[in-house]
Amino acid sequence: MTPDLIADLRAFGAAAMKEWRLLRRYPARMFGFLFWPIALPLAYVYQARGYAGGSQAAVEAFAQRAGTAEIAGFLFLGWAAYMWLSMILWGPGTALREEQVRGSLEALFITPASRLVVLFGPVVSQILWALWMFAVVGGALVLLYGVPISPLAALRAVGVVMVAVPALYGLGALFATVVLRFGEVGALVQVVRGLFTVFCGMTFPIVILPEWGRALALALPPTYLIGDLRSVLLTSSNLVSLAPSLVMMLALGIGLCGFAIVAFRRTERFARRGGSLAQY
Amino acid sequence: MTLELRAALAVARKELQIVRRYPLQLINEVAQPLYQFLLPSLLLGATFYVGGRAIGLQASAGTEDLAGYLFLGMVVGGLVAAVFWDMAFGIKREMDAGTLEPMWLTPTRPETTVLGRALSGLALSLLASAILVAVGILFFGAAIAGALLAAVPALLLASVSMIGVGYGIASLVMVMRDPNFMIDATSFTFSSLSGVAFPVTVLPAFIQPICYLLPTTYAVDLLRYYALGTRPLLAPGLEWAALVAFAAVSVVLGLRVFLRTEHRMRVQGTTGQY
Amino acid sequence: MTPTNGGPAIEAVGLVKEFERGRRTIWQRLRREPDRRERFRAVDGVDLRVDRGEIFGVLGPNGAGKTTTMKMLATLLEPTIGTARVLGFDVVRDPREVRRRMGAVLSDGRSLYWKLTARENLEYFAALYHVPPAEQRARIAGALTAVKLDDRADDYVERYSTGMRQRLVLARALLPDPELLLLDEPTVGLDPQASRDLRDRVRDLKAQGRTVLLTTHYMEEADQLCDRIAIVDHGRIVALDTPAGLKRTIAATEVVHLEIAAGATDAALLGRLERAAGSLARQEREDGSLQVTVHVRSARDFVPLAFDAAHAEEAAIRHVEVVPVTLEDVFISLTGRALRE
């Protein structure tokens, strides 16, 4: 390991620690990590009850399209992925822009730390919260709905989440770069979240979508994450049977991370030429 | 009285002027409910279709018009969001921006400035809702009958009640250091329990009484009753009476809480803090 | 500007404001535990009388209680003890009457709406100040002219410089055509030119017959602008007089600053200097040298004595500076500290 690499790893750790400290200063927000993973999917479970209306035919229609009759499990897992994506977009996705608005971006850029630290540093502390959120969802499914989740299935789910990490955080890094370049935050986050909500099958099986919708869905990493999570936890699929999907997700992840790095370097060069690192 | 009303309208006008200068945000007022709630819900509902029909919803609510059901729910959902985020949370934004103190230095009553924010929030929400309902009719086949207009007074009464609720929530916002989660969670819970997204009859029995304590429950129920012919929760006459009662009580109570909190802030000197 | 009944513009008697330090958690409140938070007095018994038509300054370091006093007079804060009447109205019993007649600058340009133009900001606040609709246009035009922002009235505030924003904040305070203006540190954060501009605007206000209560920690500003000044420290007024009157309290007309490269015989040297000057206003070690300040009637008489004292103690005087007595010197003589510490 070169000295520079060691220093960068230390810088990663410091960036993660900074994010953790900032998060701890808002204890009320920590309640959110307990409330939303349960409340949001629960609202959709009640919606599903309304749409089922006690009709066996309606429930069977759902099971046939979704591949499972575990409606609660289906919805909880979809929303878990949505919440993780939201955390990424609002967290690492906006971190650079927030540094710029605060006036601290320049201070980061004049350090010798690798730009990867700046881009991916906030991610590290966030993964722990993501895992916590998945644990809450899993716990809710087992305790509230009696969905049987074996330890092996849970481990497989962790495996799926880990494979999804490059894809989702690559998305977050790319988003951060776009936001830094163009300045808009809130509205962009909503649009991207909306795009994924509609096309990634968070509340429905993507077979419902028209053909063009399905094609778009298959180009988005969260689609694979949600589908694979549902498969391992609700239909006891193993990772081998999901290999094509996992490989696709990994490939998308590597591509997105690479693209994000290139885009970020270009944005940085543009900002250095135009002096916009300190502007907002 | 005229001067206070003029001040309230000036606050509303100022809010709308600022919003106009963020065009993406304006578009989001219509787009966000669509992609964050309506489309996912419609697609979920479609997964339960049998032979292209929402027979499950027919059984639970008395209508097969899924789009109509959801888009009308969104009208009241928008009202709740406007009160929680524009009216109540708006105070926090003013505090953070440093503009609250200068407003409270004027002879205009603080509660009037809060009312002004409610007016702009409700106006925007109403406009967005009208556009959304049109979208629902034109693109999603919502068959909303003209009798919907008979339910408009219900919306007005619910708005008055919600202004009272908004004063209460604004009081909490003023004393909390970080009210984001509180606003987010209570707004979401309020909407959910009002039946914006699903019939409240599917909720567990011990929760349902809470739904009957919310004015918005009756507003959304009457909207759907008149527009879609759904099965009402109570006799419509009773629901109208409940709305009137809520409107009368809620504003008085909410204002009282707000004025006490505002006085406390002046004693403790927290008007300029953020 | 329609003057109210006669009498002073501001009359405060025994004003006290106490705050609690620390937080009381929800659990403590629910369990009704006794409130053990430390109470401290930000304002500790202030008596103040500001006559109509004068510019009255409140001078003191950060944390002296200036802003807290202003906020009580502006009705943003309720006094813990004591009374205050502004333009004849009690600030606790009749706050709206006070607000109708008063304009205040208690914050900086952050208290404007940056996504609105200057004119739009003023239109908004004119409504909040209950400016009659028929008078609104003229009032806004007058306010903009008073602060020399006419030509930029239709630009977004986000494009303004800091100085322009501060002037716009002053324009906002002029909307109710107030008899009294409260200005809390109005030139903080402004460059010298912008500060000078703002001070000119304040003089114009006095020329129009308005009363101005101004807080500052810049003694030059207080000296130049104010008819009378109250010096505050730790929540109390420690002196109150005209600027000239305050300077006379020192019984000196000149201030001599000495920088001495001294050794281990500080005490002996300081003793000699004190005998020569009568007293030492200030002495401290800084970067290896001794900094001494004395107030004297004649620097011409004292300086040779200072050199003699240094020579006797084998010390070398590196630098001598002679300046007229300032309010800072008055503050040091009263409190033993500088305004900027």
Side-chain angles (χ1 to χ4, degrees):
Chain A
M1 278 226 239
T2 65
D4 272 351
L5 184 60
I6 295 171
D8 277 342
L9 285 172
R10 230 183 279 136
F12 257 110
M17 179 59 90
K18 179 204 72 168
E19 291 299 322
W20 165 247
R21 280 189 178 132
L22 285 174
L23 191 62
R24 263 181 52 202
R25 281 220 213 115
Y26 296 98
R29 295 194 190 178
M30 293 213 207
F31 284 124
F33 287 111
L34 201 55
F35 179 82
W36 292 116
I38 299 175
L40 195 51
L42 200 57
Y44 279 84
V45 168
Y46 285 119
Q47 263 196 59
R49 273 200 200 156
Y51 301 146
S55 157
Q56 191 56 33
V59 174
E60 276 167 13
F62 175 90
Q64 203 205 2
R65 292 178 177 116
T68 176
E70 283 285 2
I71 298 173
F74 185 88
L75 290 169
F76 266 77
L77 290 170
W79 281 109
Y82 166 85
M83 279 182 282
W84 189 21
L85 183 71
S86 269
M87 280 165 63
I88 291 167
L89 292 179
W90 278 120
T94 53
L96 284 181
R97 175 71 180 148
E98 280 170 11
E99 299 273 13
Q100 189 184 36
V101 168
R102 263 202 302 264
S104 48
L105 191 65
E106 278 191 325
L108 288 178
F109 275 35
I110 60 173
T111 67
S114 159
R115 295 301 179 246
L116 295 182
V117 172
V118 177
L119 196 54
F120 291 105
V123 159
V124 177
S125 67
Q126 247 238 356
I127 288 183
L128 288 172
W129 283 112
L131 286 173
W132 160 261
M133 193 258 306
F134 279 114
V136 170
V137 166
L141 281 177
V142 170
L143 296 170
L144 292 178
Y145 292 96
V147 174
I149 298 179
S150 67
L152 184 60
L155 259 173
R156 286 179 186 143
V158 171
V160 168
V161 167
M162 287 294 123
V163 171
V165 162
L168 258 60
Y169 285 102
L171 214 55
L174 187 60
F175 188 76
T177 305
V178 170
V179 157
L180 187 66
R181 174 69 179 82
F182 294 104
E184 281 282 357
V185 177
L188 263 177
V189 172
Q190 305 295 4
V191 169
V192 171
R193 272 198 335 193
L195 186 74
F196 288 124
T197 311
V198 172
F199 288 103
C200 294
M202 277 161 188
T203 59
F204 58 91
I206 60 171
V207 295
I208 290 279
L209 292 171
E211 206 165 308
W212 62 268
R214 253 176 278 150
L216 180 54
L218 291 171
L220 302 172
T223 308
Y224 299 94
L225 167 67
I226 296 169
D228 292 347
L229 276 177
R230 285 171 177 156
S231 295
V232 300
L233 290 173
L234 303 178
T235 64
S236 303
S237 303
N238 61 36
L239 294 179
V240 171
S241 64
L242 295 174
S245 166
L246 293 171
V247 165
M248 184 61 168
M249 205 161 38
L250 203 55
L252 280 172
I254 291 167
L256 277 167
C257 286
F259 189 44
I261 292 167
V262 167
F264 182 68
R265 290 222 162 104
R266 285 193 115 155
T267 299
E268 192 202 338
R269 230 177 294 143
F270 171 85
R272 281 216 304 261
R273 274 198 220 120
S276 57
L277 278 181
Q279 291 172 13
Y280 63 95
Chain B
M1 181 59 109
T2 320
L3 290 171
E4 286 293 321
L5 180 62
R6 196 168 149 256
L9 292 172
V11 173
R13 186 163 159 248
K14 177 260 300 182
E15 292 290 317
L16 293 171
Q17 272 173 325
I18 293 175
V19 159
R20 253 183 49 213
R21 275 143 207 191
Y22 292 97
L24 221 58
Q25 211 176 303
L26 262 180
I27 294 170
N28 246 351
E29 288 284 333
V30 174
Q32 194 173 324
L34 203 55
Y35 55 64
Q36 264 194 1
F37 164 66
L38 288 162
L39 287 174
S41 300
L42 282 166
L43 289 164
L44 173 61
T47 314
F48 288 86
Y49 277 6
V50 176
R53 293 169 55 214
I55 61 169
L57 188 64
Q58 173 70 46
S60 60
T63 181
E64 280 186 18
D65 188 350
L66 176 63
Y69 188 85
L70 288 170
F71 277 82
L72 286 173
M74 197 57 235
V75 172
V76 174
L79 171 71
V80 173
V83 162
F84 275 79
W85 288 106
D86 296 328
M87 180 183 178
F89 193 72
I91 286 195
K92 176 80 167 69
R93 278 193 222 111
E94 300 269 10
M95 280 169 84
D96 288 350
T99 46
L100 187 71
E101 269 197 345
M103 279 167 50
W104 286 16
L105 277 173
T106 68
T108 297
R109 294 176 213 273
E111 59 270 29
T112 303
T113 64
V114 174
L115 178 66
R117 258 192 303 276
L119 292 176
S120 62
L122 290 171
L124 260 179
S125 161
L126 212 65
L127 178 64
S129 295
I131 296 173
L132 278 168
V133 167
V135 165
I137 294 171
L138 291 170
F139 298 104
F140 294 91
I144 291 171
L148 162 72
L149 293 172
V152 167
L155 264 185
L156 288 172
L157 284 169
S159 299
V160 173
S161 303
M162 286 306 293
I163 286 174
V165 171
Y167 275 121
I169 304 290
S171 310
L172 286 174
V173 168
M174 288 197 296
V175 299
M176 290 178 77
R177 204 162 61 105
D178 185 20
N180 287 60
F181 169 71
M182 186 273 296
I183 291 283
D184 218 354
T186 46
S187 162
F188 174 81
T189 308
F190 207 100
S191 275
S192 299
L193 295 180
S194 301
V196 162
F198 51 81
V200 301
T201 47
V202 304
L203 289 167
F206 71 93
I207 292 183
Q208 287 186 39
I210 303 173
C211 306
Y212 289 92
L213 293 175
L214 306 177
T216 37
T217 305
Y218 303 106
V220 80
D221 200 45
L222 284 170
L223 264 181
R224 285 170 175 152
Y225 169 70
Y226 285 108
L228 303 173
T230 54
R231 218 168 26 248
L233 291 168
L234 302 172
L238 265 177
E239 295 197 358
W240 281 108
L243 275 174
V244 171
F246 274 121
V249 169
S250 155
V251 176
V252 170
L253 267 177
L255 208 45
R256 207 161 160 210
V257 171
F258 178 82
L259 290 172
R260 281 183 98 161
T261 310
E262 183 250 330
H263 178 254
R264 204 174 122 202
M265 283 177 81
R266 283 187 202 266
V267 170
Q268 290 179 345
T270 48
T271 50
Q273 290 179 14
Y274 59 95
Chain C
M1 183 181 61
T2 318
T4 48
N5 50 346
I10 296 174
E11 197 166 18
V13 178
L15 268 188
V16 170
K17 184 63 194 170
E18 265 182 13
F19 292 108
E20 291 102 6
R21 245 194 270 262
R23 292 178 70 194
R24 210 159 161 238
T25 64
I26 294 175
W27 298 123
Q28 285 170 326
R29 285 177 208 271
L30 287 173
R31 293 206 301 257
R32 292 182 200 275
E33 281 180 20
D35 190 351
R36 287 197 191 89
R37 288 176 294 179
E38 189 193 325
R39 300 182 81 86
F40 75 96
R41 289 191 167 190
V43 174
D44 192 8
V46 161
D47 295 320
L48 197 61
R49 185 194 156 102
V50 177
D51 295 322
R52 289 178 194 255
E54 71 172 331
I55 300 180
F56 190 98
V58 180
L59 178 68
N62 291 328
K66 307 187 297 293
T67 300
T68 307
T69 304
M70 284 293 235
K71 285 191 173 182
M72 285 193 281
L73 297 173
T75 75
L76 280 180
L77 205 52
E78 276 193 18
T80 310
I81 306 171
T83 59
R85 297 182 74 82
V86 173
L87 299 169
F89 295 98
D90 188 289
V91 297
V92 174
R93 279 204 297 272
D94 304 308
R96 288 183 83 204
E97 295 303 323
V98 173
R99 287 177 216 145
R100 268 188 239 281
R101 293 162 178 79
M102 170 203 76
V105 173
L106 297 189
S107 44
D108 57 20
R110 264 186 351 109
S111 67
L112 297 162
Y113 295 98
W114 287 25
K115 275 293 186 190
L116 296 183
T117 65
R119 194 184 306 280
E120 285 167 348
N121 266 278
L122 294 181
E123 281 169 358
Y124 168 62
F125 278 99
L128 295 190
Y129 273 114
H130 293 181
V131 173
E135 292 178 35
Q136 182 173 293
R137 210 174 207 178
R139 213 60 89 79
I140 289 173
L144 288 167
T145 304
V147 300
K148 299 192 190 329
L149 281 176
D150 323 57
D151 55 341
R152 298 291 299 272
D154 298 306
D155 288 350
Y156 286 127
V157 170
E158 66 185 356
R159 295 204 187 110
Y160 275 16
S161 66
T162 311
M164 289 166 72
R165 283 188 206 121
Q166 197 64 352
R167 277 154 47 201
L168 183 58
V169 169
L170 181 60
R172 179 178 66 196
L174 292 174
L175 285 174
D177 194 18
E179 297 174 56
L180 168 69
L181 278 137
L182 304 181
L183 308 179
D184 189 19
E185 311 251 13
T187 57
V188 155
L190 299 184
D191 62 51
Q193 179 62 45
S195 298
R196 216 179 353 252
D197 278 343
L198 204 77
R199 285 197 282 269
D200 288 341
R201 302 288 79 72
V202 172
R203 285 190 196 95
D204 292 342
L205 294 171
K206 182 186 170 178
Q208 292 162 12
R210 302 181 205 272
T211 309
V212 177
L213 176 66
L214 155 79
T215 70
T216 181
H217 62 265
Y218 298 133
M219 50 93 184
E220 308 89 355
E221 185 166 273
D223 206 345
Q224 285 170 26
L225 271 182
C226 302
D227 298 311
R228 286 191 304 149
I229 297 168
I231 296 183
V232 297
D233 191 30
H234 290 111
R236 291 186 183 176
I237 294 179
V238 296
L240 196 161
D241 205 336
T242 61
L246 286 170
K247 287 176 213 168
R248 278 195 296 270
T249 62
I250 290 188
T253 53
E254 287 177 309
V255 179
V256 180
H257 299 293
L258 300 170
E259 185 189 326
I260 306 167
T265 52
D266 278 6
L269 174 59
L270 288 170
R272 283 178 185 269
L273 289 171
E274 193 170 359
R275 282 192 292 278
S279 67
L280 298 180
R282 198 159 174 234
Q283 82 232 19
E284 61 185 13
R285 275 229 156 250
E286 205 177 285
D287 297 329
S289 57
L290 191 59
Q291 307 281 346
V292 177
T293 300
V294 297
H295 299 153
V296 295
R297 283 200 200 284
S298 165
R300 208 183 275 264
D301 294 337
F302 170 74
V303 169
L305 295 174
F307 273 96
D308 289 342
H311 182 70
E313 297 298 331
E314 291 176 3
I317 296 181
R318 281 201 196 126
H319 183 73
V320 179
E321 194 182 345
V322 180
V323 293
V325 165
T326 66
L327 289 172
E328 173 118 25
D329 302 310
V330 176
F331 187 81
I332 292 170
S333 77
L334 288 167
T335 66
R337 298 176 356 257
L339 267 168
R340 288 183 187 83
E341 270 170 28

